[in-house]
Amino acid sequence: DAGVTQSPTHLIKTRGQQVTLRCSPKSGHDTVSWYQQALGQGPQFIFQYYEEEERQRGNFPDRFSGHQFPNYSSELNVNALLLGDSALYLCASSLGAGGISYEQYFGPGTRLTVT
Amino acid sequence: AQKVTQVQTEISVVEKEDVTLDCVYETRDTTYYLFWYKQPPSGELVFLIRRNSFDEQNEISGRYSWNFQKSTSSFNFTITASQVVDSAVYFCALSDYGGATNKLIFGTGTLLAVQP
Protein backbone atom coordinates (compact mmCIF):
# COMPACT_ATOMS: atom_id res chain seq x y z
CA ASP A 1 0.00 0.00 0.00
CA ALA A 2 1.77 3.10 -1.25
CA GLY A 3 1.76 6.05 1.06
CA VAL A 4 1.78 9.70 0.06
CA THR A 5 4.49 10.46 -2.46
CA GLN A 6 5.91 13.83 -3.44
CA SER A 7 8.27 15.01 -6.12
CA PRO A 8 10.82 16.34 -6.40
CA THR A 9 12.62 15.78 -3.10
CA HIS A 10 14.71 18.90 -3.34
CA LEU A 11 14.56 21.94 -5.56
CA ILE A 12 16.65 25.07 -5.93
CA LYS A 13 15.15 28.07 -7.69
CA THR A 14 16.01 31.71 -8.22
CA ARG A 15 13.90 34.64 -7.07
CA GLY A 16 11.17 35.47 -9.55
CA GLN A 17 10.99 31.99 -11.03
CA GLN A 18 8.01 29.67 -10.90
CA VAL A 19 7.90 26.17 -9.40
CA THR A 20 5.54 23.19 -9.53
CA LEU A 21 5.45 20.55 -6.82
CA ARG A 22 3.62 17.26 -7.19
CA CYS A 23 1.80 14.94 -4.82
CA SER A 24 0.15 11.55 -5.12
CA PRO A 25 -2.20 10.68 -2.26
CA LYS A 26 -2.32 7.49 -0.31
CA SER A 27 -4.33 4.77 -2.02
CA GLY A 28 -8.04 5.24 -1.34
CA HIS A 29 -7.74 8.89 -0.33
CA ASP A 30 -9.53 11.61 -2.27
CA THR A 31 -8.47 14.79 -0.50
CA VAL A 32 -5.14 16.54 -0.70
CA SER A 33 -3.91 19.35 1.52
CA TRP A 34 -0.73 21.37 1.16
CA TYR A 35 1.28 22.82 4.02
CA GLN A 36 4.34 25.05 4.16
CA GLN A 37 6.84 24.45 6.93
CA ALA A 38 9.48 27.11 7.44
CA LEU A 39 12.63 26.14 9.34
CA GLY A 40 11.93 25.72 13.03
CA GLN A 41 8.19 26.24 12.65
CA GLY A 42 5.09 24.12 12.53
CA PRO A 43 3.42 23.43 9.18
CA GLN A 44 1.06 26.14 7.93
CA PHE A 45 -2.03 25.24 5.92
CA ILE A 46 -1.93 26.53 2.34
CA PHE A 47 -5.05 25.00 0.82
CA GLN A 48 -7.03 21.81 0.36
CA TYR A 49 -8.40 20.12 -2.76
CA TYR A 50 -11.37 17.84 -2.90
CA GLU A 51 -13.28 16.78 -6.00
CA GLU A 52 -10.85 18.84 -8.07
CA GLU A 53 -11.87 22.04 -6.32
CA GLU A 54 -10.10 24.23 -3.80
CA ARG A 55 -12.16 23.87 -0.64
CA GLN A 56 -10.35 26.22 1.68
CA ARG A 57 -7.30 28.44 1.60
CA GLY A 58 -5.03 29.53 4.38
CA ASN A 59 -3.38 32.92 4.66
CA PHE A 60 -1.27 32.67 1.51
CA PRO A 61 -1.15 35.05 -1.47
CA ASP A 62 -2.50 34.28 -4.92
CA ARG A 63 1.02 33.43 -6.05
CA PHE A 64 0.25 30.06 -4.53
CA SER A 65 -2.14 28.05 -6.64
CA GLY A 66 -2.98 24.44 -7.05
CA HIS A 67 -4.77 21.81 -8.98
CA GLN A 68 -6.22 18.38 -8.37
CA PHE A 69 -6.54 15.82 -11.12
CA PRO A 70 -9.26 13.19 -11.62
CA ASN A 71 -6.92 10.54 -10.15
CA TYR A 72 -6.74 12.70 -6.96
CA SER A 73 -3.11 13.65 -7.44
CA SER A 74 -2.31 17.31 -6.97
CA GLU A 75 0.10 20.06 -7.92
CA LEU A 76 1.18 23.13 -6.01
CA ASN A 77 2.37 26.06 -8.10
CA VAL A 78 4.21 29.07 -6.77
CA ASN A 79 4.84 32.05 -9.03
CA ALA A 80 7.26 34.94 -8.65
CA LEU A 81 9.28 33.15 -5.99
CA LEU A 82 10.55 35.12 -3.01
CA LEU A 83 13.37 34.22 -0.66
CA GLY A 84 10.75 33.76 2.04
CA ASP A 85 9.18 30.92 0.07
CA SER A 86 12.12 28.72 1.01
CA ALA A 87 10.59 25.95 3.11
CA LEU A 88 9.59 22.31 3.29
CA TYR A 89 6.34 21.81 1.41
CA LEU A 90 4.28 18.97 2.75
CA CYS A 91 1.40 17.24 1.08
CA ALA A 92 -1.17 15.39 3.14
CA SER A 93 -3.96 13.12 2.02
CA SER A 94 -7.13 12.04 3.76
CA LEU A 95 -10.55 10.66 3.09
CA GLY A 96 -13.24 13.29 2.69
CA ALA A 97 -12.87 17.02 3.12
CA GLY A 98 -14.88 17.81 6.18
CA GLY A 99 -17.26 16.40 8.74
CA ILE A 100 -15.41 13.76 10.68
CA SER A 101 -11.81 14.83 10.75
CA TYR A 102 -10.01 11.75 9.61
CA GLU A 103 -6.30 11.73 10.20
CA GLN A 104 -4.15 13.16 7.46
CA TYR A 105 -1.20 11.18 6.17
CA PHE A 106 1.81 13.20 5.14
CA GLY A 107 4.35 12.72 2.41
CA PRO A 108 8.11 13.20 2.86
CA GLY A 109 7.94 16.76 1.59
CA THR A 110 9.73 18.82 -1.03
CA ARG A 111 12.54 21.04 0.21
CA LEU A 112 12.44 24.27 -1.81
CA THR A 113 15.35 26.66 -1.63
CA VAL A 114 15.03 30.07 -3.27
CA THR A 115 18.28 31.94 -3.90
CA ALA B 1 -9.32 31.96 16.46
CA GLN B 2 -7.78 28.53 16.82
CA LYS B 3 -4.31 28.29 18.26
CA VAL B 4 -1.96 25.60 19.55
CA THR B 5 0.87 26.40 21.95
CA GLN B 6 3.81 24.14 22.72
CA VAL B 7 5.84 26.05 25.28
CA GLN B 8 8.75 23.62 25.35
CA THR B 9 10.99 24.39 22.40
CA GLU B 10 13.59 21.75 23.22
CA ILE B 11 13.82 18.95 25.75
CA SER B 12 16.87 16.82 26.37
CA VAL B 13 16.68 13.61 28.41
CA VAL B 14 18.82 10.56 29.00
CA GLU B 15 17.64 7.23 27.67
CA LYS B 16 15.09 5.45 29.91
CA GLU B 17 13.86 8.68 31.46
CA ASP B 18 10.18 9.56 31.22
CA VAL B 19 9.35 12.78 29.40
CA THR B 20 6.16 14.82 28.98
CA LEU B 21 5.50 17.18 26.10
CA ASP B 22 2.95 19.86 26.84
CA CYS B 23 0.28 21.17 24.49
CA VAL B 24 -2.29 23.87 25.17
CA TYR B 25 -4.92 24.81 22.64
CA GLU B 26 -7.49 27.54 22.05
CA THR B 27 -10.71 27.16 20.12
CA ARG B 28 -14.23 28.51 20.23
CA ASP B 29 -15.59 25.29 18.81
CA THR B 30 -17.37 22.94 21.18
CA THR B 31 -16.36 19.94 19.14
CA TYR B 32 -12.91 19.47 17.70
CA TYR B 33 -10.08 17.03 17.19
CA LEU B 34 -6.58 16.98 18.63
CA PHE B 35 -3.58 15.25 17.12
CA TRP B 36 0.05 14.48 17.80
CA TYR B 37 2.54 13.99 15.00
CA LYS B 38 6.20 13.00 15.09
CA GLN B 39 8.69 14.46 12.63
CA PRO B 40 12.02 12.60 12.49
CA PRO B 41 15.01 14.16 10.70
CA SER B 42 13.77 12.70 7.41
CA GLY B 43 10.99 15.30 7.50
CA GLU B 44 7.91 13.15 7.06
CA LEU B 45 5.20 13.77 9.64
CA VAL B 46 4.13 10.53 11.29
CA PHE B 47 0.64 10.36 12.74
CA LEU B 48 0.58 9.24 16.40
CA ILE B 49 -2.91 9.84 17.74
CA ARG B 50 -6.24 11.55 17.15
CA ARG B 51 -8.65 12.41 19.96
CA ASN B 52 -12.04 14.05 19.68
CA SER B 53 -13.35 16.52 22.20
CA PHE B 54 -16.17 14.19 23.23
CA ASP B 55 -13.80 11.73 24.80
CA GLU B 56 -11.57 12.77 27.68
CA GLN B 57 -10.33 9.29 28.46
CA ASN B 58 -6.59 9.04 28.63
CA GLU B 59 -5.00 6.72 26.15
CA ILE B 60 -1.97 4.48 26.33
CA SER B 61 -0.18 2.86 23.43
CA GLY B 62 2.92 0.99 24.46
CA ARG B 63 5.38 3.52 25.87
CA TYR B 64 3.21 6.43 24.73
CA SER B 65 0.35 7.93 26.72
CA TRP B 66 -1.80 11.01 26.27
CA ASN B 67 -3.60 13.08 28.89
CA PHE B 68 -6.51 15.14 27.56
CA GLN B 69 -8.00 17.70 29.97
CA LYS B 70 -10.74 19.81 28.47
CA SER B 71 -10.98 21.97 31.61
CA THR B 72 -7.45 23.26 31.07
CA SER B 73 -7.44 22.95 27.26
CA SER B 74 -4.44 20.69 27.39
CA PHE B 75 -3.45 17.55 25.53
CA ASN B 76 -0.13 16.37 26.90
CA PHE B 77 1.99 13.53 25.58
CA THR B 78 4.20 11.32 27.76
CA ILE B 79 6.88 8.92 26.60
CA THR B 80 7.81 6.35 29.23
CA ALA B 81 11.33 4.90 29.28
CA SER B 82 12.49 7.05 26.38
CA GLN B 83 14.74 5.62 23.70
CA VAL B 84 17.19 7.21 21.28
CA VAL B 85 14.76 6.42 18.43
CA ASP B 86 12.26 8.77 20.06
CA SER B 87 14.47 11.72 19.15
CA ALA B 88 12.43 13.91 16.81
CA VAL B 89 10.29 17.03 16.66
CA TYR B 90 6.81 16.45 18.02
CA PHE B 91 3.84 18.54 16.93
CA CYS B 92 0.48 18.97 18.53
CA ALA B 93 -2.34 19.97 16.17
CA LEU B 94 -5.99 20.99 16.28
CA SER B 95 -8.74 20.47 13.73
CA ASP B 96 -12.35 21.56 13.76
CA TYR B 97 -15.24 19.14 13.51
CA GLY B 98 -17.83 19.39 10.81
CA GLY B 99 -16.13 22.26 9.08
CA ALA B 100 -15.55 22.67 5.37
CA THR B 101 -12.17 21.00 5.64
CA ASN B 102 -10.13 19.06 8.14
CA LYS B 103 -7.22 21.49 8.03
CA LEU B 104 -4.74 21.18 10.85
CA ILE B 105 -3.53 24.02 13.04
CA PHE B 106 -0.09 23.08 14.33
CA GLY B 107 1.94 24.25 17.28
CA THR B 108 5.56 25.23 16.79
CA GLY B 109 6.81 21.83 17.86
CA THR B 110 9.02 20.43 20.61
CA LEU B 111 12.43 19.05 19.72
CA LEU B 112 13.09 15.99 21.86
CA ALA B 113 16.68 14.79 22.11
CA VAL B 114 17.20 11.46 23.85
CA GLN B 115 20.84 10.91 24.79
CA PRO B 116 22.21 7.36 25.10
Side-chain angles (χ1 to χ4, degrees), chain A residues 11-72:
Chain A
L11 205 50
I12 299 175
K13 290 286 189 178
T14 304
R15 271 182 304 175
Q17 286 188 316
Q18 178 265 342
V19 68
T20 298
L21 310 181
R22 295 177 177 82
C23 170
S24 291
K26 180 179 168 65
S27 179
H29 285 181
D30 57 8
T31 302
V32 172
S33 301
W34 287 93
Y35 292 81
Q36 180 196 65
Q37 186 179 16
L39 199 60
Q41 300 296 316
Q44 299 288 316
F45 176 77
I46 302 175
F47 42 51
Q48 183 178 89
Y49 278 85
Y50 173 67
E51 293 185 339
E52 302 180 50
E53 289 188 1
E54 183 183 292
R55 300 288 289 196
Q56 190 174 11
R57 168 181 283 266
N59 189 23
F60 281 82
D62 292 345
R63 298 186 298 109
F64 289 77
S65 64
H67 188 76
Q68 185 178 36
F69 299 95
N71 66 353
Y72 307 121

Side-chain angles (χ1 to χ4, degrees), chain B residues 66-83:
Chain B
W66 291 269
N67 183 299
F68 175 32
Q69 292 196 343
K70 207 168 180 177
S71 60
T72 56
S73 297
S74 65
F75 185 43
N76 297 336
F77 173 30
T78 298
I79 301 175
T80 302
S82 59
Q83 299 176 3

Side-chain angles (χ1 to χ4, degrees), chain B residues 11-70:
Chain B
I11 300 177
S12 182
V13 298
V14 177
E15 207 169 18
K16 296 184 183 177
E17 283 186 28
D18 298 347
V19 58
T20 296
L21 283 60
D22 297 332
C23 172
V24 174
Y25 62 92
E26 296 175 30
T27 181
R28 293 179 181 172
D29 296 331
T30 55
T31 54
Y32 47 88
Y33 286 93
L34 295 163
F35 300 79
W36 276 95
Y37 282 86
K38 173 181 179 180
Q39 188 174 44
S42 62
E44 183 170 342
L45 282 166
V46 177
F47 167 79
L48 296 178
I49 189 172
R50 177 191 72 167
R51 298 307 303 275
N52 66 53
S53 54
F54 310 140
D55 183 4
E56 288 192 66
Q57 272 194 328
N58 292 329
E59 184 159 339
I60 298 174
S61 177
R63 296 185 297 105
Y64 294 170
S65 63
W66 291 269
N67 183 299
F68 175 32
Q69 292 196 343
K70 207 168 180 177

